[in-house]
Structure formats: C-alpha cells, structure tokens
Amino acid sequence: MSQYNYSHKDCSHSAVTHQPYHGLYNQGSTCYLNSVLQVLFMTKDFRDAVERYDCDAKCLDFHLKELFNELKGSTVSTYKLTVELGISRDFVQSDAAECFENILSRVTNPAASQLFQGTLTTKNRCSTCNKETSAENPFWSLPLEMEDCFQEYLVRDGIENYFKESHLNESNQLYCEHCSTKSDTTIKVEMKHHPEVLTLLLKRFKFDYLTMKHVKVTRHVKIPELLQIPPYGNTSPIYQLYAYVEHSGELRSGHYVVTIRAQDDDRWYFFNDHIVSLGYRQPFTRYKDET
C-alpha cells in the first residue's frame, strides 16, 4: 500500500491498445521471487531509485537495475538474480514475505530500500510499579494475526487489533527490572516512522498443536482500498492499496501470483510468472464490484 495522493487522476477506463508490461520466467518454483520482483518493478519510486544508483556487480542493486531495464522490453529470466541471492534450489518454493525482506535488506541504496521501511515503538508498562519501558525497531512489514474460521477476515479489524493495547498475565508475564520479578504487563505498539510504502503480512501459516504440524488459514479476506494507519488520529497517513500477492496451495507447495495497479494508467494487471494480462476484475472502480 502506498500513501494516498488526493490529487491522483482517475484514468482507470482509458483504452489499453497494447500490453505494456512483461513477465518473468519461472525456473521451477521461483514464482514467489517473480511476484516480489514485479511489485518492486511496478513501484515507480523504487524502480527510479534503483536506476539512478551507480554501483558495481558486487551489490544487489546492480543486478536489479539490469533486470528492470530488460523487463521494460521483454519477458526476462531471473537466473542471474537467483545466483546473486544465493537461491540454489530452484524447485523448492520459499516464502514470498521472506524473499521480500531479504531483497530489501540487501539493497545498498537507501533511497530505494527506505521507501518500504518504517519504525515501530513498543511500550511495556508494568502493572505493579507502573514503570514504562520502550524499544524501537525497524520493520519491512506489519504482521497481522489470522485465525481459521468461516467468517471473513477484515484487514481493517486486523490493523485495529495490532495497535490496540494488549495485556500479558499469568504464564505470559514479563520480567520487570524495577520490581526484580515477573509481573502483569500492558503492551502498546505505536508507529514512530511511517514508511512511504506499507506492506501488510497476513499470517496464514500457523502451527496447529492438535495435529502438531503447520497448517494454512484459508478464510476469505476483505481488503479496503484506503486504510488509515494507525486507525486513529488526524496525523495518521492514509494508504492506498496498489498490489496484493496471493498464494494458492499448501505450506510446502503451491503457487504465487500478484495483482498490481499500474501507476501509469491506474489499471489492475495480473502477473503469473511469464504471463501478464489486464485484470479481469478492476476493483475499486465505479463500474466494477468492490474487493
């Protein structure tokens, strides 16, 4: 999600006379990488920052710049980039979120990587002495907890739950240095620095203690076009959805695809490895159903 621009021009129904975007070849099970790369490429500020940055072949930025330049004109292989990222098992599917963070953490150009990085402040208050401690941590994505049930999952509710106070007691008590013992604790998370582009991670994979194995949460998700984060206060920025990565299948196998709203023509495109097509649904438009 990118910060919302109120002067954003609605050209979602302009004619598309040719296919303006190209795909990435799957080397076996590298659909997770392809989906992440398409999001980065279609994020214009990130792509521009990579293209402006000069470095040698020892840095990841060089290989991203090379791939982006090729991707403008044709379908591209990601072989060189997988070598640079140390991906040797092409037929083993990995997690797209981990791949996303791996790439951003290795990008040396701060003008590119910091578009996606924010800072969270976690405040812990002891219920016994009322003393508060805090810690700041950078983040690439906000993890939203999901439980498996038949009800639709609302991302807006997930955001509200993430930033509301939580209370730890009994076996979950935290150690208080002032009291020199464990005590009930109130935890509050605040966003100190808002990233220009915010990534939400829906935690669909969980460990089931009944079956003693990892399972996938399969409930439907409702995503709003605009989202204020945190969901209160006049100074909280409003983010606009422009891309979502989807996974089909199970934990150890499956397939990743991504749908992205192009900043050039405001239309949604569907990226499935080497296949790119105009989205059959155009969400958040006057003439289509909302997502």
Side-chain angles (χ1 to χ4, degrees):
M1 306 185 80
S2 59
Q3 290 198 30
Y4 184 58
N5 180 4
Y6 287 96
S7 63
H8 190 67
K9 182 179 179 182
D10 183 7
C11 53
S12 59
H13 300 288
S14 59
V16 177
T17 58
H18 66 284
Q19 179 54 264
Y21 305 109
H22 305 279
L24 297 166
Y25 291 116
N26 193 327
Q27 298 183 51
S29 293
T30 56
C31 52
Y32 66 96
L33 172 65
N34 291 348
S35 296
V36 170
L37 290 174
Q38 290 288 9
V39 171
L40 296 177
F41 175 80
M42 296 290 285
T43 305
K44 189 175 185 300
D45 289 343
F46 181 87
R47 185 175 72 242
D48 290 347
V50 168
E51 292 174 346
R52 290 193 305 264
Y53 190 63
D54 291 326
C55 63
D56 57 29
K58 294 181 180 179
C59 67
L60 182 63
D61 310 54
F62 175 90
H63 299 278
L64 284 173
K65 181 177 181 179
E66 185 178 58
L67 183 138
F68 287 174
N69 286 333
E70 294 177 1
L71 193 56
K72 291 178 181 179
S74 63
T75 304
V76 180
S77 168
T78 59
Y79 175 75
K80 292 181 181 179
L81 200 60
T82 55
V83 172
E84 182 65 23
L85 290 170
I87 300 174
S88 58
R89 303 174 68 187
D90 299 339
F91 287 88
V92 177
Q93 186 179 100
S94 296
D95 182 69
E98 292 179 1
C99 177
F100 174 74
E101 295 192 9
N102 181 32
I103 291 176
L104 291 180
S105 64
R106 293 187 55 183
V107 168
T108 57
N109 179 10
S113 62
Q114 289 181 6
L115 287 168
F116 295 90
Q117 190 172 67
T119 304
L120 292 174
T121 300
T122 303
K123 297 181 178 180
N124 298 337
R125 188 177 71 252
C126 175
S127 299
T128 302
C129 67
N130 212 36
K131 184 177 178 61
E132 184 178 89
T133 59
S134 63
E136 294 182 359
N137 293 289
F139 71 92
W140 298 116
S141 61
L142 289 183
L144 302 183
E145 296 288 341
M146 295 183 67
E147 299 296 334
D148 204 358
C149 68
F150 293 107
Q151 291 182 336
E152 191 174 51
Y153 179 84
L154 304 180
V155 169
R156 198 181 303 276
D157 291 347
I159 290 294
E160 291 182 358
N161 290 333
Y162 187 87
F163 286 100
K164 74 177 184 182
E165 281 190 349
S166 60
H167 304 278
L168 300 181
N169 52 28
E170 298 179 350
S171 61
N172 295 318
Q173 289 181 331
L174 296 182
Y175 183 81
C176 175
E177 293 186 357
H178 186 262
C179 298
S180 298
T181 186
K182 289 185 175 182
S183 62
D184 293 353
T185 305
T186 299
I187 300 178
K188 176 72 173 177
V189 177
E190 298 177 355
M191 190 175 292
K192 181 179 181 181
H193 170 66
H194 295 80
E196 187 68 24
V197 181
L198 176 70
T199 304
L200 303 179
L201 172 60
L202 304 184
K203 301 182 69 174
R204 283 190 175 274
F205 299 114
K206 291 184 171 293
F207 187 79
D208 187 343
Y209 286 95
L210 292 177
T211 60
M212 297 305 291
K213 65 179 183 180
H214 286 90
V215 296
K216 181 179 178 181
V217 178
T218 58
R219 64 192 294 191
H220 291 287
V221 175
K222 186 173 183 179
I223 311 172
E225 180 185 18
L226 301 178
L227 197 60
Q228 185 181 33
I229 298 179
Y232 44 77
N234 296 329
T235 60
S236 297
I238 296 176
Y239 289 89
Q240 182 180 34
L241 180 71
Y242 79 100
Y244 53 94
V245 177
E246 298 176 276
H247 177 269
S248 60
E250 300 301 325
L251 176 64
R252 301 301 178 186
S253 63
H255 187 60
Y256 281 99
V257 296
V258 60
T259 305
I260 306 173
R261 174 157 46 189
Q263 293 172 287
D264 296 327
D265 63 9
D266 211 30
R267 286 178 174 263
W268 291 87
Y269 290 84
F270 181 69
F271 296 80
N272 183 5
D273 290 331
H274 65 283
I275 301 173
V276 182
S277 59
L278 186 65
Y280 72 93
R281 291 184 67 246
Q282 294 290 311
F284 313 122
T285 63
R286 286 173 293 176
Y287 307 106
K288 301 292 182 180
D289 295 333
E290 292 187 355
T291 296

